[in-house]
Amino acid sequence: PEGACRACELSADGKRVVFQYVGEPVRAYAVDTGRAVSRFACELEAFKRLRLSADGRTAAAATSGGEVVVWDVDTGKELRRVKCDGGSV
């Protein structure tokens, strides 16, 4: 991908990295091989934070619209979406 990297997070064990470039989906890569693990199935245009769980198996993003979205890092499948009362997360 080209352009600015909006968010990047390395797993605690150093095995996975997730990131998003502006206008692109969130992607996960294996650090040791540099190979893509997954593209996250999402329709997020803007989010404020991207974080990985301690075990590196799930990722979460807080959107500017007040939602928190959680994905499985290995499959890219959305696991949960929560709308937070009050808007901003």
Side-chain angles (χ1 to χ4, degrees):
E2 295 183 15
C5 185
R6 171 174 284 197
C8 183
E9 180 83 2
L10 181 65
S11 64
D13 63 7
K15 293 182 179 181
R16 298 276 193 265
V17 62
V18 294
F19 59 87
Q20 184 202 31
Y21 283 90
V22 174
E24 295 286 330
V26 176
R27 300 168 192 257
Y29 279 78
V31 172
D32 61 345
T33 64
R35 289 188 173 180
V37 174
S38 63
R39 281 176 78 156
F40 294 5
C42 63
E43 297 178 11
L44 298 177
E45 291 184 17
F47 59 86
K48 298 185 333 181
R49 300 279 187 261
L50 175 64
R51 296 291 183 259
L52 281 169
S53 62
D55 64 6
R57 297 178 68 191
T58 55
T63 72
S64 57
E67 290 183 311
V68 174
V69 184
V70 179
W71 298 274
D72 179 291
V73 170
D74 288 332
T75 66
K77 183 177 179 181
E78 185 176 308
L79 300 175
R80 178 171 287 179
R81 183 179 294 252
V82 177
K83 179 73 173 171
C84 299
D85 293 333
S88 184
V89 180

Coordinates of all heavy atoms in Angstrom, one line a residue:
P1 N 0.8 -1.2 0.0 CA 0.0 0.0 0.0 C 0.9 1.3 0.0 O 2.0 1.3 0.5 CB -0.8 -0.1 1.3 CG -0.7 -1.5 1.7 CD 0.5 -2.1 1.1
E2 N 0.3 2.3 -0.6 CA 1.0 3.6 -0.6 C 0.2 4.6 0.2 O -0.9 4.4 0.5 CB 1.1 4.1 -2.1 CG 2.0 3.2 -2.9 CD 2.2 3.7 -4.3 OE1 1.9 4.9 -4.5 OE2 2.6 2.9 -5.1
G3 N 0.9 5.6 0.6 CA 0.2 6.7 1.4 C 0.5 6.6 2.8 O 1.4 5.9 3.3
A4 N -0.2 7.4 3.6 CA 0.0 7.5 5.0 C -0.5 6.3 5.8 O -1.6 5.8 5.6 CB -0.6 8.8 5.6
C5 N 0.3 5.8 6.8 CA -0.2 4.8 7.7 C -1.0 5.4 8.8 O -0.5 6.3 9.5 CB 1.0 4.0 8.2 SG 0.5 2.6 9.3
R6 N -2.3 5.0 8.9 CA -3.2 5.6 9.9 C -2.9 5.0 11.3 O -3.0 5.8 12.3 CB -4.6 5.4 9.5 CG -5.6 5.8 10.5 CD -7.0 5.6 10.0 NE -7.2 6.8 9.1 CZ -8.3 7.2 8.7 NH1 -9.4 6.5 9.1 NH2 -8.4 8.2 8.0
A7 N -2.7 3.7 11.3 CA -2.5 3.1 12.6 C -1.7 1.8 12.4 O -1.7 1.2 11.4 CB -3.8 2.7 13.2
C8 N -0.9 1.5 13.5 CA 0.0 0.3 13.4 C 0.1 -0.2 14.9 O 0.3 0.6 15.8 CB 1.3 0.7 12.9 SG 2.4 -0.7 12.7
E9 N 0.0 -1.5 15.0 CA 0.2 -2.1 16.4 C 0.9 -3.4 16.2 O 0.6 -4.3 15.4 CB -1.2 -2.3 17.0 CG -1.2 -2.9 18.3 CD -1.0 -2.0 19.5 OE1 -0.9 -0.7 19.2 OE2 -1.0 -2.4 20.6
L10 N 1.9 -3.7 17.1 CA 2.7 -4.9 17.1 C 2.2 -5.7 18.3 O 2.0 -5.2 19.4 CB 4.2 -4.6 17.3 CG 5.1 -5.8 17.3 CD1 5.2 -6.5 16.0 CD2 6.5 -5.3 17.7
S11 N 2.0 -7.0 18.1 CA 1.6 -7.9 19.2 C 2.7 -8.0 20.2 O 3.8 -7.8 19.9 CB 1.3 -9.3 18.6 OG 2.4 -10.0 18.1
A12 N 2.3 -8.3 21.4 CA 3.2 -8.4 22.6 C 4.3 -9.4 22.4 O 5.4 -9.2 22.8 CB 2.4 -8.7 23.9
D13 N 4.0 -10.5 21.6 CA 5.0 -11.5 21.4 C 5.8 -11.2 20.1 O 6.7 -12.0 19.8 CB 4.3 -12.9 21.3 CG 3.4 -13.0 20.1 OD1 3.3 -12.1 19.3 OD2 2.7 -14.1 20.0
G14 N 5.5 -10.1 19.5 CA 6.3 -9.7 18.3 C 6.0 -10.5 17.0 O 6.7 -10.4 16.0
K15 N 5.0 -11.4 17.0 CA 4.7 -12.3 15.9 C 3.8 -11.7 14.9 O 3.8 -12.1 13.7 CB 4.2 -13.6 16.4 CG 5.2 -14.4 17.2 CD 4.6 -15.7 17.6 CE 5.6 -16.5 18.4 NZ 5.1 -17.8 18.8
R16 N 2.9 -10.8 15.2 CA 2.0 -10.2 14.3 C 2.0 -8.7 14.4 O 2.3 -8.1 15.4 CB 0.5 -10.6 14.7 CG 0.3 -12.1 14.6 CD -0.1 -12.5 13.2 NE -0.7 -13.8 13.1 CZ 0.0 -14.9 12.8 NH1 1.3 -14.8 12.7 NH2 -0.5 -16.0 12.7
V17 N 1.7 -8.0 13.2 CA 1.6 -6.6 13.2 C 0.3 -6.3 12.4 O 0.0 -7.0 11.4 CB 2.8 -5.9 12.5 CG1 3.0 -6.3 11.1 CG2 2.7 -4.4 12.7
V18 N -0.5 -5.4 12.9 CA -1.7 -5.0 12.2 C -1.6 -3.5 11.9 O -1.0 -2.7 12.7 CB -3.0 -5.2 13.0 CG1 -3.3 -6.7 13.2 CG2 -3.0 -4.5 14.3
F19 N -2.1 -3.1 10.7 CA -2.0 -1.7 10.4 C -3.0 -1.3 9.4 O -3.7 -2.2 8.8 CB -0.6 -1.4 9.8 CG -0.2 -2.1 8.6 CD1 -0.6 -1.7 7.3 CD2 0.5 -3.3 8.7 CE1 -0.2 -2.4 6.2 CE2 0.8 -4.1 7.6 CZ 0.5 -3.6 6.3
Q20 N -3.2 0.0 9.2 CA -4.1 0.5 8.2 C -3.5 1.7 7.5 O -3.1 2.6 8.2 CB -5.5 0.8 8.7 CG -6.4 1.3 7.6 CD -7.6 2.1 8.0 OE1 -7.5 2.9 9.0 NE2 -8.7 2.0 7.3
Y21 N -3.5 1.7 6.2 CA -3.2 2.9 5.4 C -4.4 3.6 5.1 O -5.5 3.0 5.0 CB -2.4 2.5 4.1 CG -1.0 2.1 4.3 CD1 -0.6 0.8 4.6 CD2 0.0 3.1 4.3 CE1 0.7 0.5 4.8 CE2 1.3 2.7 4.5 CZ 1.6 1.4 4.7 OH 3.0 1.1 4.9
V22 N -4.4 4.9 5.0 CA -5.6 5.7 4.7 C -6.2 5.2 3.4 O -5.5 4.9 2.4 CB -5.1 7.2 4.5 CG1 -6.3 8.0 4.0 CG2 -4.6 7.8 5.8
G23 N -7.5 4.9 3.5 CA -8.3 4.4 2.3 C -8.2 2.9 2.1 O -8.7 2.4 1.1
E24 N -7.5 2.2 3.0 CA -7.3 0.8 2.8 C -7.9 0.0 4.0 O -8.0 0.6 5.1 CB -5.8 0.5 2.7 CG -5.1 1.0 1.5 CD -5.4 0.3 0.3 OE1 -5.6 -0.9 0.3 OE2 -5.4 0.9 -0.8
P25 N -8.2 -1.3 3.8 CA -8.6 -2.1 5.0 C -7.5 -2.3 6.0 O -6.3 -2.2 5.6 CB -9.1 -3.4 4.3 CG -8.3 -3.5 3.1 CD -8.1 -2.1 2.6
V26 N -7.9 -2.7 7.2 CA -6.9 -3.1 8.2 C -6.3 -4.4 7.7 O -7.1 -5.3 7.2 CB -7.6 -3.3 9.6 CG1 -6.6 -3.8 10.6 CG2 -8.2 -1.9 10.0
R27 N -5.0 -4.6 7.9 CA -4.3 -5.8 7.4 C -3.5 -6.4 8.6 O -3.0 -5.6 9.4 CB -3.4 -5.6 6.2 CG -4.2 -5.1 5.0 CD -3.2 -4.6 4.0 NE -3.9 -3.8 3.0 CZ -4.1 -4.3 1.8 NH1 -3.8 -5.5 1.4 NH2 -4.7 -3.6 0.9
A28 N -3.3 -7.7 8.6 CA -2.4 -8.3 9.6 C -1.3 -9.1 8.8 O -1.6 -9.7 7.8 CB -3.2 -9.3 10.5
Y29 N -0.1 -9.0 9.4 CA 1.1 -9.6 8.8 C 1.8 -10.4 9.8 O 1.9 -10.0 11.0 CB 2.0 -8.6 8.1 CG 1.6 -8.2 6.8 CD1 0.6 -7.2 6.6 CD2 2.2 -8.7 5.6 CE1 0.2 -6.8 5.4 CE2 1.8 -8.3 4.3 CZ 0.8 -7.3 4.2 OH 0.3 -6.9 3.0
A30 N 2.4 -11.5 9.4 CA 3.3 -12.3 10.2 C 4.7 -11.6 10.1 O 5.2 -11.4 9.0 CB 3.4 -13.7 9.7
V31 N 5.3 -11.2 11.3 CA 6.5 -10.5 11.3 C 7.7 -11.3 10.8 O 8.5 -10.9 10.0 CB 6.8 -10.0 12.7 CG1 8.2 -9.4 12.8 CG2 5.8 -8.9 13.1
D32 N 7.7 -12.6 11.1 CA 8.9 -13.5 10.7 C 9.0 -13.7 9.2 O 10.0 -13.8 8.7 CB 8.9 -14.8 11.5 CG 7.7 -15.6 11.3 OD1 6.7 -15.1 10.8 OD2 7.7 -16.8 11.7
T33 N 7.8 -13.8 8.6 CA 7.8 -14.1 7.1 C 7.5 -12.9 6.3 O 7.8 -12.9 5.1 CB 6.8 -15.2 6.8 OG1 5.5 -14.7 7.1 CG2 7.1 -16.5 7.6
G34 N 6.9 -11.9 6.8 CA 6.4 -10.7 6.1 C 5.2 -11.0 5.2 O 4.8 -10.2 4.4
R35 N 4.6 -12.1 5.4 CA 3.4 -12.5 4.6 C 2.1 -12.0 5.3 O 2.0 -12.0 6.5 CB 3.3 -14.0 4.5 CG 4.4 -14.6 3.6 CD 4.1 -16.0 3.3 NE 5.1 -16.5 2.3 CZ 5.1 -17.7 1.9 NH1 4.2 -18.6 2.4 NH2 6.0 -18.1 1.0
A36 N 1.2 -11.7 4.4 CA -0.2 -11.3 4.9 C -0.8 -12.4 5.6 O -0.8 -13.6 5.1 CB -1.0 -10.8 3.7
V37 N -1.4 -12.2 6.7 CA -2.2 -13.2 7.5 C -3.7 -13.0 7.1 O -4.4 -13.9 6.9 CB -2.0 -13.0 9.0 CG1 -2.9 -13.9 9.8 CG2 -0.5 -13.2 9.4
S38 N -4.1 -11.7 7.1 CA -5.5 -11.4 6.8 C -5.8 -10.0 6.5 O -5.0 -9.1 6.8 CB -6.4 -11.8 8.0 OG -6.1 -11.1 9.2
R39 N -6.9 -9.8 5.9 CA -7.5 -8.4 5.7 C -8.8 -8.4 6.5 O -9.6 -9.3 6.4 CB -7.9 -8.2 4.2 CG -6.7 -7.8 3.3 CD -7.2 -7.7 1.9 NE -7.9 -6.5 1.7 CZ -8.1 -5.9 0.5 NH1 -7.6 -6.5 -0.6 NH2 -8.7 -4.8 0.4
F40 N -8.9 -7.4 7.3 CA -10.1 -7.4 8.2 C -11.3 -7.0 7.4 O -11.3 -6.0 6.7 CB -9.9 -6.5 9.3 CG -8.8 -6.9 10.3 CD1 -8.0 -8.0 10.1 CD2 -8.7 -6.2 11.5 CE1 -7.1 -8.3 11.0 CE2 -7.7 -6.5 12.4 CZ -6.9 -7.6 12.1
A41 N -12.4 -7.8 7.5 CA -13.7 -7.5 6.9 C -14.3 -6.4 7.7 O -14.8 -6.5 8.8 CB -14.5 -8.7 6.9
C42 N -14.3 -5.2 7.1 CA -14.8 -4.0 7.8 C -15.2 -2.9 6.8 O -14.7 -2.9 5.7 CB -13.8 -3.5 8.8 SG -12.3 -2.8 8.1
E43 N -16.0 -2.1 7.2 CA -16.4 -0.9 6.5 C -16.1 0.4 7.2 O -16.9 1.3 7.2 CB -17.9 -1.0 6.1 CG -18.2 -2.2 5.2 CD -19.7 -2.3 4.9 OE1 -20.4 -1.4 5.1 OE2 -20.0 -3.4 4.4
L44 N -15.0 0.4 7.9 CA -14.7 1.6 8.7 C -14.0 2.6 7.8 O -13.0 2.3 7.2 CB -13.8 1.2 9.9 CG -14.3 0.2 10.9 CD1 -13.2 -0.1 11.9 CD2 -15.5 0.8 11.6
E45 N -14.5 3.8 7.8 CA -13.8 4.8 7.1 C -12.8 5.5 8.0 O -11.7 6.0 7.6 CB -14.8 5.8 6.5 CG -15.6 5.2 5.4 CD -16.5 6.3 4.8 OE1 -16.3 7.5 5.0 OE2 -17.4 5.8 4.1
A46 N -13.1 5.7 9.3 CA -12.2 6.4 10.2 C -12.3 5.8 11.6 O -13.4 5.5 12.1 CB -12.6 7.9 10.2
F47 N -11.2 5.5 12.2 CA -11.2 5.1 13.6 C -10.1 5.8 14.3 O -9.1 6.3 13.7 CB -11.1 3.6 13.7 CG -9.8 3.0 13.1 CD1 -8.7 2.9 13.9 CD2 -9.9 2.4 11.9 CE1 -7.6 2.3 13.3 CE2 -8.8 1.8 11.3 CZ -7.6 1.8 12.1
K48 N -10.2 5.9 15.6 CA -9.3 6.6 16.4 C -8.2 5.8 17.0 O -7.1 6.3 17.2 CB -10.1 7.3 17.6 CG -11.1 8.3 17.0 CD -11.9 9.1 18.0 CE -12.0 8.6 19.4 NZ -12.8 9.5 20.3
R49 N -8.4 4.6 17.3 CA -7.4 3.7 17.9 C -7.5 2.3 17.3 O -8.6 1.8 17.0 CB -7.6 3.6 19.4 CG -7.5 4.9 20.1 CD -6.1 5.3 20.4 NE -6.0 6.4 21.3 CZ -5.8 7.7 20.8 NH1 -5.7 7.9 19.6 NH2 -5.7 8.7 21.7
L50 N -6.3 1.6 17.2 CA -6.3 0.2 16.8 C -5.4 -0.5 17.8 O -4.2 0.0 18.1 CB -5.7 0.1 15.4 CG -5.4 -1.3 14.9 CD1 -6.7 -2.0 14.7 CD2 -4.7 -1.2 13.5
R51 N -5.9 -1.5 18.4 CA -5.1 -2.2 19.4 C -5.2 -3.8 19.3 O -6.2 -4.2 18.8 CB -5.6 -1.9 20.9 CG -5.3 -0.4 21.2 CD -3.9 -0.1 21.4 NE -3.6 1.2 21.8 CZ -3.2 2.2 21.1 NH1 -3.1 2.0 19.8 NH2 -3.0 3.4 21.5
L52 N -4.2 -4.5 19.7 CA -4.2 -5.9 19.7 C -4.3 -6.4 21.1 O -3.9 -5.8 22.1 CB -2.9 -6.5 19.2 CG -2.7 -6.5 17.7 CD1 -1.3 -6.8 17.3 CD2 -3.6 -7.5 17.1
S53 N -5.0 -7.6 21.3 CA -5.1 -8.2 22.6 C -3.7 -8.7 23.0 O -2.8 -8.8 22.2 CB -6.0 -9.4 22.6 OG -5.6 -10.4 21.7
A54 N -3.5 -9.0 24.3 CA -2.2 -9.4 24.8 C -1.7 -10.7 24.1 O -0.5 -10.8 23.9 CB -2.3 -9.6 26.3
D55 N -2.6 -11.6 23.7 CA -2.1 -12.8 23.0 C -2.0 -12.6 21.5 O -1.7 -13.5 20.8 CB -3.1 -14.0 23.4 CG -4.5 -13.8 22.9 OD1 -4.8 -12.8 22.2 OD2 -5.3 -14.6 23.3
G56 N -2.4 -11.4 21.0 CA -2.3 -11.2 19.6 C -3.3 -11.8 18.7 O -3.2 -11.8 17.5
R57 N -4.3 -12.4 19.3 CA -5.3 -13.2 18.5 C -6.5 -12.3 18.1 O -7.2 -12.7 17.2 CB -5.8 -14.4 19.3 CG -4.6 -15.4 19.6 CD -5.1 -16.5 20.4 NE -6.0 -17.3 19.6 CZ -6.7 -18.3 20.1 NH1 -6.6 -18.6 21.4 NH2 -7.5 -19.0 19.3
T58 N -6.7 -11.2 18.8 CA -7.8 -10.3 18.4 C -7.4 -8.9 18.3 O -6.4 -8.5 19.0 CB -9.0 -10.4 19.4 OG1 -8.6 -10.2 20.7 CG2 -9.7 -11.8 19.4
A59 N -8.0 -8.1 17.5 CA -7.7 -6.7 17.4 C -9.0 -5.9 17.6 O -10.1 -6.4 17.3 CB -7.2 -6.4 16.0
A60 N -8.9 -4.7 18.1 CA -10.1 -3.9 18.3 C -9.8 -2.5 17.8 O -8.6 -2.0 17.9 CB -10.4 -3.8 19.8
A61 N -10.8 -1.8 17.3 CA -10.7 -0.4 16.8 C -11.8 0.4 17.4 O -13.0 -0.1 17.4 CB -10.7 -0.4 15.3
A62 N -11.5 1.6 17.8 CA -12.5 2.5 18.2 C -12.8 3.5 17.1 O -11.9 4.1 16.6 CB -12.1 3.3 19.5
T63 N -14.0 3.6 16.6 CA -14.3 4.4 15.5 C -14.6 5.9 16.0 O -15.0 6.1 17.1 CB -15.5 3.9 14.7 OG1 -16.7 4.1 15.5 CG2 -15.4 2.4 14.4
S64 N -14.5 6.8 15.0 CA -14.9 8.2 15.3 C -16.4 8.3 15.5 O -16.9 9.3 16.0 CB -14.4 9.1 14.3 OG -14.9 8.7 13.0
G65 N -17.2 7.3 15.1 CA -18.6 7.3 15.2 C -19.1 6.7 16.5 O -20.3 6.6 16.7
G66 N -18.2 6.3 17.4 CA -18.6 5.8 18.7 C -18.8 4.3 18.8 O -19.5 3.8 19.7
E67 N -18.2 3.6 17.9 CA -18.3 2.1 17.9 C -16.9 1.5 18.3 O -15.9 2.1 18.0 CB -18.7 1.5 16.6 CG -20.2 1.8 16.2 CD -20.5 1.2 14.9 OE1 -19.8 1.3 13.9 OE2 -21.6 0.5 14.9
V68 N -17.0 0.3 18.8 CA -15.8 -0.5 19.0 C -16.0 -1.8 18.2 O -17.0 -2.4 18.4 CB -15.5 -0.8 20.5 CG1 -14.3 -1.8 20.6 CG2 -15.3 0.4 21.3
V69 N -15.0 -2.1 17.3 CA -15.2 -3.3 16.5 C -14.0 -4.2 16.8 O -12.9 -3.8 17.0 CB -15.1 -2.9 15.0 CG1 -15.3 -4.1 14.1 CG2 -16.1 -1.8 14.7
V70 N -14.3 -5.5 17.0 CA -13.3 -6.5 17.4 C -13.2 -7.6 16.3 O -14.3 -8.0 15.8 CB -13.7 -7.2 18.7 CG1 -12.7 -8.2 19.1 CG2 -13.8 -6.1 19.8
W71 N -12.0 -7.9 15.9 CA -11.8 -8.9 14.8 C -10.9 -10.1 15.3 O -10.0 -9.9 16.1 CB -11.0 -8.3 13.6 CG -11.7 -7.2 12.9 CD1 -12.7 -7.4 11.9 CD2 -11.5 -5.9 13.1 NE1 -13.0 -6.1 11.5 CE2 -12.4 -5.2 12.2 CE3 -10.8 -5.1 13.9 CZ2 -12.4 -3.8 12.1 CZ3 -10.8 -3.7 13.9 CH2 -11.6 -3.1 12.9
D72 N -11.0 -11.2 14.6 CA -10.1 -12.3 14.8 C -8.9 -12.0 13.8 O -9.1 -11.8 12.6 CB -10.7 -13.6 14.3 CG -9.8 -14.8 14.4 OD1 -8.9 -14.9 13.6 OD2 -10.1 -15.7 15.3
V73 N -7.7 -11.9 14.4 CA -6.5 -11.5 13.6 C -6.2 -12.5 12.5 O -5.8 -12.2 11.4 CB -5.3 -11.3 14.5 CG1 -4.0 -11.1 13.7 CG2 -5.5 -10.1 15.4
D74 N -6.3 -13.8 12.8 CA -5.9 -14.9 11.8 C -6.9 -15.0 10.6 O -6.5 -15.3 9.5 CB -5.8 -16.2 12.5 CG -4.6 -16.3 13.4 OD1 -3.6 -15.6 13.1 OD2 -4.6 -17.1 14.4
T75 N -8.2 -14.7 10.9 CA -9.1 -14.8 9.8 C -9.6 -13.5 9.2 O -10.1 -13.4 8.1 CB -10.4 -15.6 10.3 OG1 -11.1 -14.8 11.3 CG2 -10.0 -16.9 10.8
G76 N -9.5 -12.4 10.0 CA -10.0 -11.1 9.6 C -11.5 -11.0 9.8 O -12.0 -9.9 9.5
K77 N -12.1 -12.0 10.4 CA -13.5 -12.0 10.6 C -13.9 -11.1 11.7 O -13.3 -11.1 12.8 CB -14.0 -13.4 10.8 CG -15.5 -13.5 11.0 CD -15.9 -14.9 11.2 CE -17.4 -15.0 11.4 NZ -17.9 -16.4 11.6
E78 N -14.9 -10.3 11.5 CA -15.5 -9.4 12.6 C -16.1 -10.3 13.7 O -17.0 -11.1 13.3 CB -16.5 -8.4 12.0 CG -16.9 -7.4 13.1 CD -17.9 -6.4 12.5 OE1 -17.5 -5.7 11.5 OE2 -19.0 -6.2 13.0
L79 N -15.8 -10.1 14.9 CA -16.3 -10.9 16.0 C -17.4 -10.2 16.7 O -18.4 -10.8 17.2 CB -15.2 -11.3 17.0 CG -14.1 -12.1 16.5 CD1 -13.0 -12.3 17.5 CD2 -14.6 -13.5 15.9
R80 N -17.3 -8.9 16.9 CA -18.2 -8.1 17.6 C -18.1 -6.6 17.3 O -17.1 -6.1 16.9 CB -18.0 -8.3 19.1 CG -18.9 -7.5 20.0 CD -18.7 -7.8 21.4 NE -19.3 -9.1 21.6 CZ -19.4 -9.8 22.7 NH1 -18.8 -9.3 23.8 NH2 -20.0 -11.0 22.8
R81 N -19.3 -6.0 17.3 CA -19.4 -4.5 17.1 C -20.3 -4.0 18.2 O -21.4 -4.4 18.4 CB -19.9 -4.2 15.7 CG -20.0 -2.8 15.4 CD -20.6 -2.6 14.0 NE -19.7 -3.1 13.0 CZ -19.0 -2.4 12.1 NH1 -19.0 -1.1 12.2 NH2 -18.2 -3.0 11.3
V82 N -19.8 -3.0 18.9 CA -20.5 -2.4 20.1 C -20.7 -0.9 19.8 O -19.7 -0.2 19.6 CB -19.8 -2.7 21.4 CG1 -20.6 -2.0 22.5 CG2 -19.6 -4.2 21.6
K83 N -21.9 -0.4 19.9 CA -22.2 1.0 19.8 C -22.2 1.6 21.2 O -22.9 1.1 22.1 CB -23.5 1.2 19.1 CG -23.9 2.7 19.0 CD -23.1 3.4 17.9 CE -23.6 4.8 17.7 NZ -22.8 5.5 16.8
C84 N -21.3 2.5 21.4 CA -21.2 3.1 22.8 C -22.1 4.3 22.9 O -22.2 5.2 22.0 CB -19.7 3.5 23.0 SG -18.6 2.2 23.0
D85 N -22.8 4.4 24.0 CA -23.7 5.5 24.3 C -22.9 6.8 24.5 O -21.8 6.7 25.0 CB -24.6 5.3 25.5 CG -25.6 4.2 25.3 OD1 -26.0 3.9 24.2 OD2 -25.9 3.5 26.3
G86 N -23.4 7.9 23.9 CA -22.6 9.1 24.1 C -21.7 9.4 23.0 O -21.0 10.4 23.0
G87 N -21.6 8.6 21.9 CA -20.9 8.9 20.7 C -19.4 8.5 20.8 O -19.1 7.4 20.6
S88 N -18.5 9.4 21.2 CA -17.1 9.2 21.1 C -16.6 8.1 22.0 O -17.1 8.0 23.1 CB -16.4 10.5 21.4 OG -15.0 10.3 21.2
V89 N -15.6 7.3 21.5 CA -15.0 6.3 22.3 C -13.7 6.7 22.8 O -12.9 7.2 22.0 CB -14.9 4.9 21.5 CG1 -14.3 3.8 22.3 CG2 -16.3 4.5 21.0

